[in-house]
Amino acid sequence: MSGPELILVRHGRSAHVETGWLDVEGVRRWMAAYDAAEIAPEHAPPPELEALARQAAVLVASDLPRTVASAMRLAPEREIVRTPLLREVPLEQPDRPLPAFGGIRLPFRAWGMVWGSRWLVAYLRKQPPPGVSPAELARAEEAAEWLVEQATHEADRVVVVTHATFRVVLAQALARRGWRGPRERSYREWSAWPFVPAEAPPAPSR
């Protein structure tokens, strides 16, 4: 590897599993349990991603349990730089509460479809994911600036373990700084998006 590269990795599958019907209060309890959980031990990362993490100059992760556990799974012998800058965007924020739907209870999968449809519309319109506040956008800008400094200083690969929605916002912030990512992007757990400066040849998607 020669030259700076940022690899944005979505964490492994959460160990917290939710089923059944939930109202908005149940969703809030799920969010708290999800943030407290680590990752499912049987959901192993791809060997090629483990190799990238072992060989990286720096391994960075959000400080939430599922991302720290994912980084440790990728490279248990490595030091991990943990930062709240890379935390997931909260589904609910003071100025953007979750829709209560009049107290109606929905299957957990239906709540996922509600979020997913809103996210898809924003993606097609090339807008930030729904629910992302100006404060969260500013955090993504700060995180992007810091990560670019890390990769540029090392002139090498930096592996970044973060979250589904925040990775999208972070990728947009990197693009505004002239960094290029893959055209085709997987959103699954353990998927990796390599970003390089605009003057460098694009890296293949992983």
Side-chain angles (χ1 to χ4, degrees), residues 2-205:
S2 64
E5 180 185 29
L6 290 166
I7 299 182
L8 309 186
V9 178
R10 185 183 176 190
H11 59 75
R13 186 175 301 144
S14 172
H16 180 70
V17 178
E18 188 73 49
T19 58
W21 294 63
L22 303 173
D23 59 11
V24 69
E25 290 302 323
V27 173
R28 290 177 179 133
R29 289 191 294 272
W30 166 79
M31 288 191 297
Y34 184 70
D35 280 346
E38 296 191 357
I39 60 172
E42 72 278 5
H43 189 222
E48 59 270 23
L49 183 56
E50 292 179 305
L52 289 172
R54 288 195 303 268
Q55 298 162 7
V58 183
L59 179 58
V60 183
S62 152
D63 63 349
L64 291 178
R66 61 187 179 275
T67 38
V68 173
S70 298
M72 293 176 65
R73 182 69 181 270
L74 286 171
E77 75 287 352
R78 293 292 307 271
E79 178 183 357
I80 302 167
V81 180
R82 310 177 190 193
T83 173
L85 278 177
L86 298 172
R87 285 186 177 186
E88 181 61 299
V89 175
L91 288 178
E92 183 173 51
Q93 299 174 54
D95 60 336
R96 297 166 187 254
L98 290 171
F101 296 128
I104 191 172
R105 295 168 63 86
L106 298 173
F108 184 73
R109 288 184 179 273
W111 282 103
M113 291 175 65
V114 170
W115 297 321
S117 60
R118 294 171 65 205
W119 190 95
L120 179 60
V121 169
Y123 175 78
L124 293 175
R125 293 176 176 174
K126 297 184 178 180
Q127 297 173 344
V132 181
S133 69
E136 296 299 322
L137 292 174
R139 177 165 65 91
E141 295 292 338
E142 184 180 355
E145 194 69 29
W146 179 71
L147 289 170
V148 166
E149 289 176 3
Q150 296 294 312
T152 304
H153 174 74
E154 297 291 341
D156 206 335
R157 176 180 297 125
V158 175
V159 170
V160 183
V161 186
T162 185
H163 306 263
T165 301
F166 189 74
R167 181 170 62 165
V168 173
V169 184
L170 179 60
Q172 293 170 346
L174 288 172
R176 285 190 287 273
R177 285 160 174 76
W179 285 60
R180 294 185 298 171
R183 290 182 178 272
E184 297 183 3
R185 303 178 186 183
S186 170
Y187 293 84
R188 295 180 179 274
E189 294 95 347
W190 294 128
S191 58
W193 300 351
F195 276 77
V196 294
E199 65 272 12
S205 180

